[in-house]
Amino acid sequence: MDSAAPFIGTGLAAVGLAYMLRSKPSSNPFPTDTRTPAKAFEHDREVRNATIKPGYSAKKLEKHVAANGDFDAIIIGSGIGSMTCATIMAKAGKKVLVLEQHDQLGGCCHSFYEKGFEFDTGVHYIGEMRNNTAIRFLFDQLTNGQLQWSDVADDYDTVVLVDDENQDAASLKAIEQHVKNGTTLPSFQCSMLSGRERTIVELVKKFPSEEKAIRKYYDLLTEVRKAMLGFVGIKFMPKWAATMLIKTGLVNKYTTYFKLAEKSLTQVLDEITDNKTLKAVLAYNFGDYGTLPKDAPFVMHAVLVNHFLNGVSYPIGGSSEFAYHMFPTVEAAGGKAFVRAEVGEIVCQNGAAVGVRLKKDGTVIKAPMIISNAGLYNTAELLPPTVSPLKNMTESGVQNGVGGISVYVGLNKSNAALNLKGKHFWAFWTKKGQEDLDGVCQKYVDRGGNEMDDGPVPLLFISFPSAKDPLWDEKHPGKASATIVSFCNYDWFGEWEGERVMHRGEGYEKRKKAIGELIWKQTVALFPQLRDCVEYFDVGTPVTNKYYIRAHKGEMYGLDHNKERFTAEATNELRPETDIPNLYLCGQDIFNCGIAGAAFGGLLCASKVLNRNVYADLVDLKKKSPPSIPK
């Protein structure tokens, strides 16, 4: 799920202090508009792999350094935060080395091919690409105008509430009966539409007596949108300045954001309505950041909904387009990226980071700056025991997010034949009129490993990526794909964490199959046309996530997006600079999740290491350039 996360602020006020205090700035990474007419999609996988699968060897590294000189920085990991940071630095003339442990660049922005099917691992949709926003302009510049977007259906998300009183074996029998009969499980449905007023009108149709509550909810979204600038400002300003604001209490004069962040999503919804069905509908996409409504701050949910408010989009050609169009800029500046180049340790001397040691062959590579996009917990584990723990982690009170599970299904009929739409369905199994998303989801993740399939999985995010990509039928004629995502307790699979991939044993495969088949049965009960159409089927567990994308506990969105993470104190700690000299952080853990959130985490880091307000540079160029979308 991809999801998607906050937008970049709309003004310079929040970053003005950093702009005034910057010293010895690097070159402007955005001096001119670098967009060029989009080229035709490259279908040749060998050509694509030359860019997104550059295998590591000591000889290749040595040859590159001999030709281009030493690197200015090393970035651990190649997710969207890393790609953003590395590309901005390259545009400022810096030589950056990106080291990825997987066999493909991109982190969660990569695609994989199996049995004639293509699947994205993390990009499902992204907001603010339909308008002339700063985040749209950022991606235009990072990819030189080559990353193109397709609008997802206007009714991009449909909430599906299945009446389920028991959450037990009886519920499973009802699901199986519908699958057997080829009938659709009855449900209440409500769609989210592109445009604030259109969505309000749609909600009022479904809940005619709740218009006041619905409008109050959307007014609160606007309030958070304005306050978001304060959150961004704390990230940009020097830590000592933010600390002063927090300790004196002036932070709440500077912004209302942190007061708003004190209430959970559940608390806010309880204050505006007693209608439990409406509350379930308004809270539906908490899965996009992976934290239950009772634990998530309302501001996180509001930022996400605001991000999607004017419609959502999908990268034409799939998520591997990010890496394919960004890393050439890194190499053009004398930088390099390698896959199968896992970092085993961050090398430190006299308490400062000076390089990395590769796990594969023990090679030590040194650079003046080490930037980690590996996540806060993984970064801490890469540090030698002689170095003090990262204060960014110990003093922010953060924790890992919940694990995720994904089911990838290849279908032997086309999108048209199966009547699949390029949109998303959020399906919940909960008692009608007494909907309690917190309760049913908490009960589910609290099940034991041997009980995980004792009742339905209460939350499913169901999408058909093949119907979102306008190039799909050209690439995979006569076929379609489905991806279903949900929460999953890491402990259900944790015992197999150390086992070799593809060789984890019968116990692991049996458990994985059980939950995967359950999820698919629930999906077919809602979409009976999918029955008997499966050509390819696989399940990614939290252990899969840990192996391929180094998710510390199999989580989908890095650090938990709970209220504790969004206090003023934690916001101030989760920033690019660390207490270890020369070591920096980028990506979603220092901002928040989703493509936009992680990218902005990369921009934040680039601003810090380049000693200049990169966002101001971007906005200045945007003002002087033609709009991304002609008016």
Side-chain angles (χ1 to χ4, degrees), residues 500-560:
R500 194 155 54 98
V501 67
M502 305 294 184
H503 296 83
R504 294 194 175 109
E506 183 180 349
Y508 174 81
E509 293 298 329
K510 182 179 179 181
R511 187 166 291 184
K512 184 175 80 166
K513 181 181 179 182
I515 191 168
E517 289 185 349
L518 172 58
I519 288 172
W520 185 240
K521 284 179 183 177
Q522 291 178 234
T523 302
V524 174
L526 294 171
F527 300 91
Q529 71 269 35
L530 303 180
R531 191 182 70 168
D532 301 326
C533 292
V534 176
E535 185 175 324
Y536 171 82
F537 189 91
D538 199 10
V539 180
T541 72
V543 173
T544 311
N545 294 343
K546 180 157 188 174
Y547 178 80
Y548 286 108
I549 60 172
R550 285 300 185 264
H552 193 257
K553 287 294 181 182
E555 65 275 8
M556 296 177 284
Y557 305 114
L559 298 176
D560 193 7

Side-chain angles (χ1 to χ4, degrees), residues 25 57 59 84 113 164 188 203 232 275 323 330 358 403 564 612:
S57 73
K59 187 173 290 186
T84 301
Y113 294 83
D164 182 13
F188 170 88
L203 288 169
V232 177
N275 188 309
V330 175
L358 298 186
E564 290 74 16
R612 67 178 299 126

Side-chain angles (χ1 to χ4, degrees), residues 23-277:
S23 60
K24 297 180 181 178
S26 298
S27 300
N28 180 359
F30 301 116
T32 59
D33 186 352
T34 60
R35 290 173 293 180
T36 58
K39 299 175 183 177
F41 179 82
E42 179 56 70
H43 287 275
D44 190 323
R45 285 173 60 185
E46 287 191 13
V47 173
R48 297 180 66 82
N49 288 346
T51 296
I52 63 178
K53 293 189 174 184
Y56 164 79
S57 73
K59 187 173 290 186
K60 290 179 184 177
L61 174 64
E62 184 180 343
K63 182 179 179 180
H64 184 89
V65 172
N68 296 277
D70 292 334
F71 296 104
D72 296 305
I74 297 170
I75 303 184
I76 304 168
S78 68
I80 191 64
S82 168
M83 287 190 272
T84 301
C85 185
T87 306
I88 292 174
M89 291 181 72
K91 284 177 170 283
K94 302 298 182 183
K95 292 176 289 187
V96 182
L97 173 64
V98 177
L99 299 171
E100 168 59 48
Q101 60 89 27
H102 190 26
D103 66 0
Q104 183 177 164
L105 298 172
C108 284
C109 292
H110 83 266
S111 305
F112 68 92
Y113 294 83
E114 289 289 348
K115 310 296 184 183
F117 293 92
E118 178 184 4
F119 298 97
D120 293 320
T121 55
V123 178
H124 300 290
Y125 52 157
I126 181 172
E128 299 188 75
M129 295 298 115
R130 295 188 182 194
N131 313 93
N132 291 301
T133 58
I135 188 67
R136 167 66 190 255
F137 190 71
L138 173 64
F139 282 127
D140 285 350
Q141 297 305 312
L142 294 177
T143 66
N144 300 320
Q146 298 307 299
L147 181 61
Q148 298 294 295
W149 300 93
S150 174
D151 291 345
V152 173
D154 270 353
D155 56 336
Y156 58 89
D157 277 348
T158 294
V159 185
V160 180
L161 300 178
V162 178
D163 184 13
D164 182 13
E165 185 172 351
N166 301 309
Q167 288 283 307
D168 58 11
S171 306
L172 298 183
K173 286 182 179 179
I175 292 167
E176 289 175 354
Q177 193 62 47
H178 278 283
V179 172
K180 181 180 179 180
N181 295 340
T183 52
T184 304
L185 202 60
S187 64
F188 170 88
Q189 298 192 10
C190 182
S191 292
M192 301 296 145
L193 307 179
S194 303
R196 170 189 165 116
E197 195 59 32
R198 292 180 67 207
T199 302
I200 290 174
V201 170
E202 180 71 11
L203 288 169
V204 172
K205 286 181 183 177
K206 296 288 186 177
F207 303 94
S209 64
E210 293 289 335
E211 181 171 2
K212 183 178 178 180
I214 292 166
R215 292 197 175 277
K216 173 63 175 175
Y217 171 79
Y218 278 88
D219 287 345
L220 288 172
L221 296 184
T222 300
E223 187 176 349
V224 172
R225 187 181 189 100
K226 294 175 181 177
M228 182 67 184
L229 207 56
F231 172 81
V232 177
I234 291 294
K235 298 285 189 183
F236 261 101
M237 70 176 63
K239 188 176 182 180
W240 63 263
T243 301
M244 179 187 69
L245 287 177
I246 294 166
K247 287 189 174 181
T248 60
L250 292 173
V251 69
N252 293 320
K253 300 288 186 182
Y254 166 69
T255 177
T256 60
Y257 179 88
F258 299 108
K259 280 293 184 183
L260 293 168
E262 291 176 359
K263 290 185 177 180
S264 71
L265 172 57
T266 295
Q267 286 175 301
V268 169
L269 294 178
D270 284 346
E271 289 174 1
I272 66 174
T273 182
D274 293 324
N275 188 309
K276 293 186 177 181
T277 306

